[in-house]
Amino acid sequence: DAGVTQSPTHLIKTRGQQVTLRCSPKSGHDTVSWYQQALGQGPQFIFQYYEEEERQRGNFPDRFSGHQFPNYSSELNVNALWLGDSALYLCASSLVHTDTNTEAFFGQGTRLTVV
Amino acid sequence: GDSVTQMEGPVTLSEEAFLTINCTYTATGYPSLFWYVQYPGEGLQLLLKATKADDKGSNKGFEATYRKETTSFHLEKGSVQVSDSAVYFCALRENFGNEKLTFGTGTRLTIIP
């Protein structure tokens, strides 16, 4: 079982550029969540996708957008990059149940540096 | 809104010492509580969890008890090892079907031989 895989592992972009990060969920999982982890901080929830729709969103501007594909994989897009967008971006996958909580599995993250 | 407050680090202990990392939370409902661990250069791994009051989560010698009366979920280990050096995050998740995790700021633990 491959677990949650993210690509690329590292990325350097210039202010104002756009970036796309990718995530493949753990086999059998149908929900993908994205988190931003600034240096020395805890992860902050960006949004979550289920059935190809954004299901829940944290306090992030519209420059952050996403997509989920029929195979449950997901992309995170960030437009008009700021220096402050430099962070580790974590993808987590889980399986939605209607009556139980399930464990979220995290990928190793994509380290984005904006210069 | 929901929030998690963690004991500030960094924490440095000698091998075989007793570990406590404090965590308290604020939530509107009845959340599930988690401890995640992050080793250098890696993503987050679930260490243990508790889904209701008085539950005790345990794994790899670590324990934490869900205390609703004090809104706490302190992490403990009786005898730490060098391999326990990592960053530890306390987190909560509200409600069934709501997968969003709210994390604390993390506590960096260093164990010296």
Side-chain angles (χ1 to χ4, degrees):
Chain A
D1 184 0
V4 180
T5 58
Q6 291 186 242
S7 64
T9 54
H10 294 83
L11 202 53
I12 299 175
K13 289 287 189 179
T14 303
R15 274 181 302 174
Q17 284 188 315
Q18 179 265 345
V19 68
T20 298
L21 311 181
R22 295 176 176 83
C23 172
S24 292
K26 181 177 169 64
S27 177
H29 284 183
D30 58 9
T31 301
V32 173
S33 301
W34 288 92
Y35 293 81
Q36 180 194 66
Q37 186 181 11
L39 198 62
Q41 300 297 315
Q44 298 290 316
F45 176 77
I46 303 174
F47 44 52
Q48 179 187 91
Y49 277 84
Y50 171 65
E51 291 188 337
E52 301 180 48
E53 292 189 357
E54 185 180 289
R55 188 164 173 248
Q56 194 178 8
R57 188 178 184 94
N59 188 25
F60 278 81
D62 292 345
R63 298 187 298 109
F64 290 76
S65 63
H67 189 76
Q68 187 179 34
F69 299 93
N71 66 354
Y72 307 116
S73 67
S74 177
E75 290 182 349
L76 164 66
N77 300 291
V78 187
N79 294 322
L81 284 166
W82 297 3
L83 295 179
D85 295 331
S86 296
L88 180 68
Y89 288 85
L90 294 166
C91 170
S93 75
S94 57
L95 180 63
V96 171
H97 290 282
T98 56
D99 60 351
T100 58
N101 286 312
T102 61
E103 176 184 343
F105 286 79
F106 283 80
Q108 293 195 325
T110 294
R111 172 73 62 189
L112 172 65
T113 301
V114 182
V115 297
Chain B
D2 299 342
S3 67
V4 175
T5 301
Q6 266 185 254
M7 169 181 176
E8 292 196 10
V11 174
T12 301
L13 295 173
S14 297
E15 204 166 19
E16 299 183 2
F18 183 85
L19 168 71
T20 300
I21 301 178
N22 290 337
C23 171
T24 57
Y25 68 89
T26 302
T28 53
Y30 300 95
S32 294
L33 301 175
F34 305 82
W35 277 100
Y36 281 85
V37 59
Q38 187 173 39
Y39 297 102
E42 298 186 11
L44 299 174
Q45 298 176 25
L46 178 64
L47 180 59
L48 54 83
K49 66 179 181 182
T51 58
K52 60 183 187 298
D54 299 325
D55 269 3
K56 177 184 284 189
S58 61
N59 186 28
K60 300 181 181 180
F62 290 90
E63 293 182 339
T65 301
Y66 189 140
R67 301 287 188 201
K68 188 170 183 296
E69 63 276 14
T70 54
T71 62
S72 65
F73 192 55
H74 304 323
L75 183 68
E76 297 182 337
K77 186 175 185 182
S79 176
V80 293
Q81 306 301 313
V82 172
S83 57
D84 295 326
S85 298
V87 182
Y88 291 81
F89 293 94
C90 185
L92 69 81
R93 184 178 62 201
E94 283 269 34
N95 302 325
F96 292 120
N98 179 343
E99 305 292 315
K100 169 189 171 183
L101 287 160
T102 299
F103 288 88
T105 54
T107 301
R108 180 174 297 278
L109 173 66
T110 302
I111 308 300
I112 54 177

